[in-house]
Amino acid sequence: MQQTKRMLTPREALDIVLAHVRRLPTERVDLMAAAGRVLAEPIVAPEDHPPFPAATMDGFAVIHDDTSPWREIIGEQFAGHLVDVVVTPGTAVRITTGAPLPPGADAVVPVEDVEVVDDHIVIRRDEVRAGENVRPVGVDIRRGELVVPAGTVLGAAEIGLLASLGISAVSVSCRPRVSVLSTGDELVDPDTPLGPGQIRDSNRFMLVAAARQAGAEVVWAGRGPDDVERLTALLRERIAESDVVISSGGVSVGERDLISAALRELGTVHIERLFMKPGKPFHFVTAGSTLLFGLPGNPVSALVGFELFVATALRAMTGQVPVEPELVTVVLEHDVVPGDRIEYQRAVVRCDAEGILRARNTGPQTSARLLSAVGANAYLIVPPRDEPYRAGERLQAILRGPVRGVPARG
Ligand code: AMP
Ligand code: MG
């Protein structure tokens, strides 16, 4: 099946890519090694948290409606050290933050509200409320509660929470194994002086970084010549060892058949061109369970193609939720002239003092100008139309980084 006649919209293309994604197997990892991994099982709290009623202040554990004028200190309860006493009317136990409330007691009076006289205390206020300064059993988390859903990328908060519930290993998705291939006879490594007509292979470094950032394991990265046979052989090797193979270059009009011919030889071509800018030449091919993405050579086109399609496929392979890129509505800070295809302009989105997201593009948007993506936290989606979009109009944007707020004055 080849869908080469019509240029597909990015939406159509993403649906085709997602329809061919297969979930990767899972593995168990120690909690210490789980950061950044995608949880493959829902985590249900195996116990209440906290597991015992605990003091939230340093003070004295008492019975709240005990009317004794003073109370004898019958013991000390420190966190982690239990004292074998029962609080009865006329008694109190010294207690530290986090220590379990001793049996009999139902409130903790903070040290500030107490006068200690020899071996007894006098409470310097009229009323003590039941449960005062006590964290009851299960107040934070109830046993059986869903605490972390499957598909969550494990971060610091999730990992701390799992540790607090006695979970020391978790089932996560295996990392996608990714190969990155740059094509082009003009390419040299960054540490090589440029000869006439040569340019540096930036895509290989950029796509390896992007793949790692997306949680993949890069199993191979290299460069291939502008030669169909050798590219085909190289790609065949990579397919055998990879879940995803990403190539860049070999797709401009003069070279059109270079990567297309290699990919056609190796698998089923689903997409060849997109109704978008940058990144019109875009190949999506499947070979067995391996996904191949033939990205354009121009660095910005390759980056946009990666972030919109490859990164989304990687999220889907690992079961990450949500799978789609994050969309927001933004207000334009300046006029924008649309093109004849859906344009993904690199932009800076910020949140103004009223809480409105405002977008400004990063200057010239040519597909070789990687500087347009540096510092850009968004892709402004500019659909084609006859007249310019005016400052103040609304458009959608895909977030690729955090949005900074502008603090209100005063
Ligand atoms: P191509 O699709 O191979 O015709 O490449 C289009 C443009 O991108 C050409 O100007 C190439 O020199 C450039 N290009 C291709 N591959 C890379 C790469 N790996 N790094 C930087 N630029 C590249
Ligand atoms: Mg080339």
Side-chain angles (χ1 to χ4, degrees):
M1 176 195 59
Q2 296 207 2
Q3 301 177 350
T4 55
K5 294 282 173 288
R6 191 169 64 86
M7 278 193 264
L8 296 169
T9 65
R11 178 70 262 168
E12 290 170 319
L14 199 56
D15 288 338
I16 291 171
V17 169
L18 289 174
H20 288 90
V21 165
R22 289 198 216 157
R23 285 284 288 275
L24 294 173
T26 63
E27 60 183 339
R28 272 189 96 67
V29 295
D30 188 90
L31 202 54
M32 267 301 178
R37 304 298 298 269
V38 182
L39 190 64
E41 55 182 355
I43 301 288
V44 169
E47 55 193 40
D48 287 327
H49 191 79
F52 52 78
T56 61
M57 305 220 15
D58 290 349
F60 290 87
V62 298
I63 298 167
H64 83 280
D65 55 0
D66 180 0
T67 52
S68 316
W70 53 268
R71 301 156 206 238
E72 185 191 346
I73 304 169
I74 57 168
E76 290 179 331
Q77 180 88 298
F78 299 124
H81 301 274
L82 295 194
V83 63
D84 186 20
V85 292
V86 176
V87 176
T88 54
T91 70
V93 167
R94 192 189 289 273
I95 193 164
T96 58
T97 304
L101 202 65
D106 65 0
V108 171
V109 182
V111 269
E112 306 82 278
D113 294 351
V114 162
E115 197 174 330
V116 181
V117 185
D118 299 329
D119 63 348
H120 66 272
I121 60 166
V122 177
I123 298 176
R124 287 188 297 214
R125 56 174 150 98
D126 295 337
E127 203 198 344
V128 177
R129 280 173 295 108
E132 191 177 319
N133 301 315
V134 176
R135 215 154 44 109
V137 171
V139 69
D140 294 338
I141 295 165
R142 280 268 162 229
R143 188 160 73 91
E145 193 179 328
L146 171 69
V147 287
V148 190
T152 303
V153 179
L154 294 171
E158 290 79 16
I159 288 172
L161 180 72
L162 297 182
S164 78
L165 291 169
I167 295 165
S168 60
V170 282
S171 170
V172 296
S173 171
C174 291
R175 292 183 192 278
R177 293 164 303 161
V178 169
S179 291
V180 175
L181 171 71
S182 285
T183 72
D185 290 339
E186 76 281 29
L187 301 176
V188 295
D189 277 349
D191 57 1
T192 308
L194 289 179
Q198 292 187 323
I199 60 158
R200 299 212 169 83
D201 176 7
S202 49
N203 291 352
R204 194 167 97 247
F205 293 85
M206 176 181 75
L207 294 171
V208 166
R212 289 199 178 126
Q213 219 179 321
E217 181 195 348
V218 177
V219 292
W220 184 89
R223 205 163 56 227
D226 286 328
D227 176 285
V228 181
E229 254 104 75
R230 286 172 65 192
L231 283 181
T232 310
L234 247 176
L235 286 169
R236 182 171 283 122
E237 250 174 53
R238 299 327 314 157
I239 290 168
E241 288 171 30
S242 316
D243 301 306
V244 174
V245 177
I246 307 165
S247 72
S248 70
V251 293
S252 61
V253 178
E255 299 184 324
R256 188 152 193 96
D257 283 335
L258 201 59
I259 208 78
S260 303
L263 293 175
R264 247 185 248 126
E265 172 80 23
L266 294 163
T268 309
V269 179
H270 303 283
I271 303 172
E272 284 196 330
R273 284 187 308 156
L274 299 178
F275 186 66
M276 67 179 279
K277 188 181 167 192
K280 180 167 81 170
F282 172 91
H283 289 72
F284 172 60
V285 174
T286 50
S289 62
T290 301
L291 309 183
L292 288 95
F293 294 90
L295 303 177
N298 268 313
V300 176
S301 312
L303 183 65
V304 174
F306 181 94
E307 292 188 0
L308 294 190
F309 304 105
V310 186
T312 306
L314 293 172
R315 285 194 290 273
M317 294 173 101
T318 57
Q320 198 173 316
V321 181
V323 74
E324 302 257 342
E326 193 179 351
L327 263 184
V328 293
T329 299
V330 296
V331 176
L332 292 180
E333 291 194 88
H334 54 76
D335 293 357
V336 173
V337 180
D340 55 1
R341 283 170 271 143
I342 303 172
E343 217 178 309
Y344 285 71
Q345 295 202 356
R346 282 72 67 203
V348 176
V349 169
R350 62 184 182 87
C351 185
D352 74 9
E354 273 74 51
I356 295 165
L357 298 180
R358 297 191 181 274
R360 159 172 298 280
N361 75 15
T362 51
Q365 296 285 314
T366 52
S367 56
R369 186 174 174 260
L370 208 43
L371 191 57
S372 69
V374 172
N377 63 351
Y379 292 120
L380 185 63
I381 304 175
V382 185
R385 80 173 189 193
D386 292 337
E387 68 214 74
Y389 292 90
R390 296 295 177 195
E393 277 195 69
R394 278 163 206 277
L395 281 178
Q396 287 197 302
I398 287 175
L399 290 185
R400 58 191 298 271
V403 174
R404 283 191 207 296
V406 178
R409 282 179 199 279

